[in-house]
Every structure is written in structure tokens, then in C-alpha cells.
Amino acid sequence: MSAYFLCFVLFCIGLYAILRKRNIIKIIVGLVIIEYAVNLLVILIGYRFQGRAPILAKDQVILNMVDPLPQALVMTTIIIGFSVLVVLISLAIRIYEKYGTFDITKIRRLRA
Amino acid sequence: MKILLIFSVLPLCAAFLIALLGRWFKHWGEILASLTTLALLISSLYCAKLVGIHKILVYKVSGWMPPLGICLVADGLASFMLVTVNLIVFLSLIYAISYMNKYTDKWKFYSLFMIMLAGLNGVIISGDLFNMYVFLEAASISGYCLVAFGTEAQDLEASFKYAIMGSLASVFILLGIVLLYSYVSTLNMADISLELLSKPRGMLVGFVSVLFLTGFCLKSALVPFHAWLPDAHSSAPTPVSAVLSGVFIKAVGIYALARVFLNVIGIYRNLLFILMVLGAASMIIGAFLAIAQKDIKRMFAYSSISQVGYIILALGIGTPLACLGAVFHLFNHAVFKSLLFLNAGAIEYSTGTRDLSRLGGLNNKMPVTSYTSLIGSMSISGVPPFSGFWSKLVIILAACQAGRFGFAFIAAVVSIITLVYYLKFIKFTFLGSSDKTPMPIKDIHFTMKFSMITLAIICIIAGVLLIPSNRQFLQGASDSLLSGRAYADAVFGALK
């Protein structure tokens, strides 16, 4: 149970970073923390007490095995998170070239 | 039913081939992308015809039987959305052929555009919740890149804002999917629906509903979550704005919301009321914010928020007539909003500005743009012979029929406000004197005219879809919205 709670705390830290921080890089880090919190939750959901890997072989009897599907899902979400991260970082670099700052309160040319 | 496979595989192959060879062959991107979208448009029409006969098409990916394997499902709603998406994407791409000449590295644009199309089609036909999330992310990530395609300061700022909000929405959706999986131990939509019926309705399902609602409302930019939309849709290159505003927010926002809530989790009374309130708030606030805008594309973007409110309101009313109005308004809004964005792009292409205070008197100089803008504006504000009038009429009648007179009144008033700001657009752009307009006015190309005229013709004649003898297309879509949990039985019935 405490693992789920810590996972929730991690999620909240990420959300706090996105909502309160002014530096673009810190916002990106916040988003990454949120993604990791969700990935961790996916793994926790697949976990079974004293479970083992579900590899079936002839001479083995598996009484308690973990759910393998969330682990497959997590591979996909990590890759998706990685591609979002790449896009965000390259945007941040280009924004720094144009505006000369990472402070979001100074990056507002769109406001009419 | 192998035809379902090509909707996401064909554009992905095209994206790969364009990225591989686009650097060396001039016009390779244009040719391959327009042929792909034309092929997809034809196959989506064929798919709609097949769905009319068989009611539902199901394809088992690599032969694995659902719920173990992933399945692709096209019912009435999905085939309706496929036709809408592929029509708008095809016409925007034809428009882009000459419009995109001012940008460098055009092949990258076509490659990203094809990935976005694959994502949109994938979201629509997927029968598996996690698979839908993957396609949704593919569409969104290519969307962030396309918004920043011009790499001007404003484009980058808008894209960053959009990327943060969009990724946050995706995280909420993923969290919802994972928690739902922990409760029912399956990811197939039809199977989730059956499992939920056999289990007691716990707190978890309510929590998951809230997560999905937040995620999809962020994606479709309903009012408390709308801040990113005007920036992103006005900064993107025009063909991308047309697709983002015309079909993107509907496919990944409204369609996914409707599918998950109506067919998978099951809708309940409180949720319908929340949808109605969100819809009404979007309608009012979007319309009032649109009046004050000076930038043409920004005005249209706020107008999108307002018109999406109509669709959500109609979904929230939830009677058969309201669902018919919702799908009809979805189709109409896709057509006239992409027409208007293409017009705004043509104005910018010819005069070099989108600022209403610097335009005027273009009526004689740009006749095609002028008349098609007039048709689009009249259609979106609900002036009688055009398509927008019929869908708004159906929604207002449905609200009255359901006894929601307050919401019907709001819908009618917002329609008048819409007329006000579109008249402002017409007056400041096409009427008056042309003294302030930056002078040499460039002629627009034939391909741009072709797209605008085709969309304008659809705007005029789309009303015939409502005539009972032609209504099968819309009726199929609203029937699958109304069928609710019967979706699961239909999918498993088709698999046998």
C-alpha cells in the first residue's frame, strides 16, 4: 500500500512542477516525473505477492506469477514518453535561440 | 475485413517512403501524399458502404482472437468519422501543395502529416483501449511538430504550450486506462464493457470516468481547458490548422470521449449533465472571446471552441434526435471550419497579413475566396439554406423536446453571436475600401481554389444528408452512439 502512496506523491510532485515552475526545463522535468509515476503505477498493478516471471516450461510448476501485460504496456509508454521528451527538448532549444530565456513569463509574444 | 487495416498502415508506409526518398526527389512528397489520401478517401467511402450492409466490420490483427488479440472495429460511428477525417485531410493536402511553397523542407511536412493521419484513423478504428492511446499519442506528437513547422518565435511558443497540455492530457488518459485495467483485467473495449456489467459499480469506475473526462476535454479544448487551442491553431501552417480544427479535436477528443463513455463505461445521468454544462460554457465563452479578436485565424480558433460546445451539448442531451444533431453538426463543423481556415490562409497568402484592421475591399480582387468565405460564414452562423442551419435546428429542437429550454435558448443566442463575429470578418476583409490593404495582391493557385470550392459546395448541399431517404449515413452513426452497451454484443457477434 505504501508503494501506491509514494507513487501518488511522485505524481503530485510532477504536477506541482508543471503548474508552479517558471523555467521551461523544470516544466519538462515535471512532465517526465509524472510519466515515471504512471509507469511505476503500471508495474505495481501487475505485481503479485511473491510472484515470479510467467515463463512456461515443461518441468516447472508456477503457483504465483506476476501479470506480464502491464510490463509490455510500460515498454510502449516509455517509448512514447521518450519521443514526447525529445520533441519538448528540441522545442526548448529553439525557444531559447529565439527568445534568449527559459522563463515562461517572458515568453509571451502571442498575447494580443 | 482487411480493408480496415489499410487506414493506418497505408499512411504510415507513405510517411516512411516520403522520409526515405523525399530529400532527393522533388515533388515526391506531394505526389505520394496526395495519392495516399485519395486512396484513403475512396476506401473510407467503400467502408461506409460495407458498414451500411453488414452493420459492423471487425478485423482480428494477425489472427489473434479478441480479447487476447487486438481488433479493429468499424461500426456506424467509426465509418462516419473515417469519411469525415479522410475527406478533410485530402482537401487540405491538395491545398497544401501550392500553399506550402513558402516553407523549406516540404517533404518533412508531408511525412509528419501522414503520421498524423495514421494516428487519427487509428484512434477511430481501434477496438482496444491501449491501442487507441498509442494512436492518439502518434497523432498528438506529430501535431506538436506540425504546429511548430514554421519555427518562428510564436509557432514555437504555441507548440510548447500545446505539447505540455497535450502530454498532460495523455497522462490522465493513460492513468484512466491503467486503473480500469486493474479492475477488469482486459483492454479490449467490448470485453471491458461486458466485464463492467458483471461487476459491482465501485468507486474506481467513477474515478476513472473523471480521469477520462479531464483527458479528453483537454484534448478537445472545452472551456476550462481551452487555453492552448487559439495559440496552436492560429500559429500552425494553414492546412494543418484546417485539419487540427476541422477533424483533430473531434477525432481524438469528442469521438474518443463518446466511444469510451457511451459504449464502454456506460453513461449515467450526472455525467450527461456535466457534458451539457461544459458544452454550454464552451459555446458562450468561446463566442464572446471570438468577437474581440483582430487576427482572423485566432477568431476562427475561438469559434471552434464555441462550435465544439454545440456537439458536446447535443451529446449531453442524449436523446436520439440530439445524437443525430451531434453527428450532423460534427460533420458540418469539420467542413465549414476547414473551409474558413483555408480562406484565412488564402488571404494571408495573397496579402501577407491576417490582421483585420489592415484588410478591406478584397471583394473584387479575390472573388473565389470572397464567395467561399461568405458561404462558410453563413453556414457556420446558421443562415437557412446552408448546412449549419439544419444541424443547429436539430440540436435546438432536441433540447426543447427533452425539456431543456434553457440550453435551447443559449444555443439560439450563441448562434446570433456567431453571426455577429462572422459579419465582422466579412465586413473588415471583403467590404469597404482597399486603402489599407498591403498592395501587390498575389493570385492564389488552382489547387487552393479547388479545395475551397469543393468544401463550399459540400456546405451548400450537406443539408440533403438529413432527408430521410439519404439519412442512413448519419443515422448509422447516431445509432451506434445510442446502442450503448450493445456495442459489445455487436463486436463479439461479428467475430463468431
Side-chain angles (χ1 to χ4, degrees):
Chain A
M1 200 60 215
S2 61
Y4 286 96
F5 181 73
L6 289 175
C7 199
F8 178 71
V9 170
L10 202 58
F11 189 90
C12 291
I13 291 171
L15 207 56
Y16 172 80
I18 289 181
L19 294 176
R20 292 289 300 167
K21 290 295 164 188
R22 288 169 145 205
N23 190 317
I24 281 185
I25 301 295
K26 286 182 184 168
I27 293 176
I28 296 174
V29 170
L31 195 69
V32 172
I33 292 174
I34 284 193
E35 269 163 12
Y36 284 178
V38 176
N39 289 347
L40 193 61
L41 182 77
V42 181
I43 291 292
L44 280 175
I45 280 170
Y47 176 73
R48 300 285 180 274
F49 184 64
Q50 287 185 339
R52 48 159 295 182
I55 299 169
L56 295 176
K58 264 190 187 150
D59 52 344
Q60 288 189 337
V61 183
I62 302 177
L63 294 174
N64 216 354
M65 61 181 186
V66 295
D67 188 349
L69 189 66
Q71 301 178 1
L73 300 186
V74 139
M75 293 299 285
T76 319
T77 56
I78 286 173
I79 293 165
I80 290 173
F82 171 71
S83 38
V84 171
L85 181 64
V86 169
V87 171
L88 283 172
I89 293 283
S90 39
L91 281 175
I93 294 170
R94 297 302 287 267
I95 285 176
Y96 189 76
E97 280 173 11
K98 297 277 178 191
Y99 290 85
T101 174
F102 280 127
D103 189 344
I104 49 163
T105 53
K106 298 200 174 88
I107 302 173
R108 39 176 64 226
R109 270 184 223 177
L110 275 169
R111 219 33 68 102
Chain B
M1 289 302 157
K2 285 219 168 68
I3 187 170
L4 293 181
L5 206 55
I6 73 163
F7 285 110
S8 50
V9 171
L10 196 62
L12 278 180
C13 292
F16 176 71
L17 286 176
I18 292 169
L20 196 68
L21 300 172
R23 193 189 301 257
W24 289 288
F25 300 107
K26 214 186 162 195
H27 299 310
W28 170 248
E30 285 98 321
I31 295 166
L32 197 62
S34 34
L35 285 180
T36 309
T37 45
L38 180 63
L40 285 176
L41 176 60
I42 293 166
S43 30
S44 68
L45 290 169
Y46 178 65
C47 178
K49 187 165 164 270
L50 280 183
V51 169
I53 300 165
H54 300 287
K55 294 286 168 223
I56 191 161
L57 305 177
V58 183
Y59 177 74
K60 293 173 288 202
V61 179
S62 45
W64 288 86
M65 189 67 184
L68 288 182
I70 290 170
C71 64
L72 303 178
V73 182
D75 57 353
L77 183 63
S79 66
F80 163 81
M81 286 299 295
L82 280 178
V83 172
T84 314
V85 166
N86 288 296
L87 176 74
I88 301 300
V89 167
F90 171 66
L91 290 171
S92 306
L93 205 103
I94 295 293
Y95 180 94
I97 290 173
S98 45
Y99 181 85
M100 292 306 288
N101 278 332
K102 63 177 178 179
Y103 294 93
T104 51
D105 277 351
K106 277 197 292 175
W107 56 274
K108 284 181 186 158
F109 168 80
Y110 291 111
S111 193
L112 283 168
F113 207 78
M114 287 295 110
I115 297 176
M116 184 162 82
L117 176 59
L120 290 178
N121 281 341
V123 169
I124 292 165
I125 55 173
S126 178
D128 182 279
L129 213 48
F130 190 76
N131 195 22
M132 187 173 93
Y133 165 78
V134 173
F135 278 123
L136 193 144
E137 276 294 86
S140 306
I141 294 171
S142 44
Y144 312 147
C145 299
L146 281 169
V147 167
F149 196 77
T151 59
E152 297 294 322
Q154 283 93 334
D155 304 354
L156 295 168
E157 184 187 338
S159 175
F160 185 78
K161 202 170 176 184
Y162 180 25
I164 292 289
M165 300 285 246
S167 315
L168 202 57
S170 305
V171 166
F172 279 117
I173 295 168
L174 178 64
L175 199 58
I177 292 172
V178 167
L179 290 177
L180 198 58
Y181 173 78
S182 75
Y183 189 58
V184 296
S185 300
T186 173
L187 284 169
N188 185 289
M189 289 195 204
D191 206 33
I192 291 175
S193 168
L194 288 182
E195 286 284 328
L196 280 177
L197 274 185
S198 62
K199 292 196 175 194
R201 203 172 189 96
M203 285 282 282
L204 189 67
V205 179
F207 184 56
V208 167
S209 309
V210 173
L211 288 173
F212 278 138
L213 194 67
T214 317
F216 291 129
C217 286
L218 259 167
K219 288 274 183 201
S220 58
L222 288 175
V223 140
F225 313 104
H226 68 286
W228 58 269
L229 185 137
D231 297 344
H233 288 197
S234 58
S235 306
T238 296
V240 179
S241 314
V243 172
L244 284 181
S245 235
V247 290
F248 190 96
I249 51 173
K250 304 196 182 68
V252 307
I254 298 170
Y255 170 81
L257 181 91
R259 179 64 89 204
V260 167
F261 279 117
L262 294 172
N263 295 138
V264 178
I265 297 181
I267 200 117
Y268 35 94
R269 187 166 277 278
N270 296 350
L271 197 68
L272 285 174
F273 188 71
I274 291 173
L275 285 182
M276 277 197 281
V277 172
L278 282 175
S282 305
M283 279 156 62
I284 299 168
I285 295 173
F288 275 111
L289 288 172
I291 295 180
Q293 300 305 317
K294 283 222 164 70
D295 182 333
I296 300 177
K297 274 170 98 173
R298 242 181 132 73
M299 178 195 265
F300 291 168
Y302 276 113
S303 158
S304 278
I305 298 172
S306 164
Q307 299 297 316
V308 162
Y310 274 96
I311 305 170
I312 293 288
L313 171 70
L315 279 179
I317 294 168
T319 56
L321 191 65
C323 283
L324 187 72
V327 291
F328 192 33
H329 197 66
L330 197 156
F331 178 77
N332 287 337
H333 181 250
V335 172
F336 47 60
K337 187 45 63 69
S338 33
L339 170 63
L340 286 164
F341 265 110
L342 296 187
N343 286 325
I347 292 166
E348 193 191 6
Y349 183 86
S350 305
T351 62
T353 180
R354 301 196 304 248
D355 192 342
L356 279 177
S357 59
R358 292 182 59 210
L359 289 166
L362 291 175
N363 204 2
N364 303 320
K365 308 214 165 66
M366 305 174 68
V368 173
T369 314
S370 154
Y371 285 118
T372 49
S373 303
L374 191 64
I375 292 170
S377 306
M378 292 301 108
S379 190
I380 198 171
S381 6
V383 173
F386 300 107
S387 58
F389 168 72
W390 302 108
S391 51
K392 285 187 183 176
L393 185 70
V394 170
I395 292 173
I396 294 171
L397 282 180
C400 290
Q401 197 188 37
R404 306 280 185 179
F405 294 103
F407 287 110
F409 178 72
I410 291 173
V413 169
V414 170
S415 185
I416 295 168
I417 302 171
T418 311
L419 186 63
V420 170
Y421 60 79
Y422 278 100
L423 283 179
K424 178 185 161 191
F425 158 64
I426 294 287
K427 178 175 177 295
F428 280 96
T429 319
F430 297 110
L431 307 178
S433 72
S434 56
D435 305 340
K436 291 167 292 180
T437 314
M439 251 321 152
I441 290 178
K442 264 204 291 181
D443 241 5
I444 54 174
H445 284 268
F446 168 73
T447 54
M448 295 163 80
K449 284 181 189 163
F450 170 79
S451 297
M452 294 194 296
I453 291 172
T454 315
L455 285 169
I457 291 171
I458 299 174
C459 264
I460 298 171
I461 61 171
V464 299
L465 286 174
L466 211 58
I467 299 171
S469 57
N470 302 342
R471 205 186 277 173
Q472 196 199 9
F473 182 54
L474 294 176
Q475 197 68 50
S478 75
D479 281 350
S480 50
L481 275 180
L482 290 167
S483 69
R485 298 296 185 82
Y487 168 79
D489 302 329
V491 171
F492 283 117
L495 279 169
K496 270 174 200 146

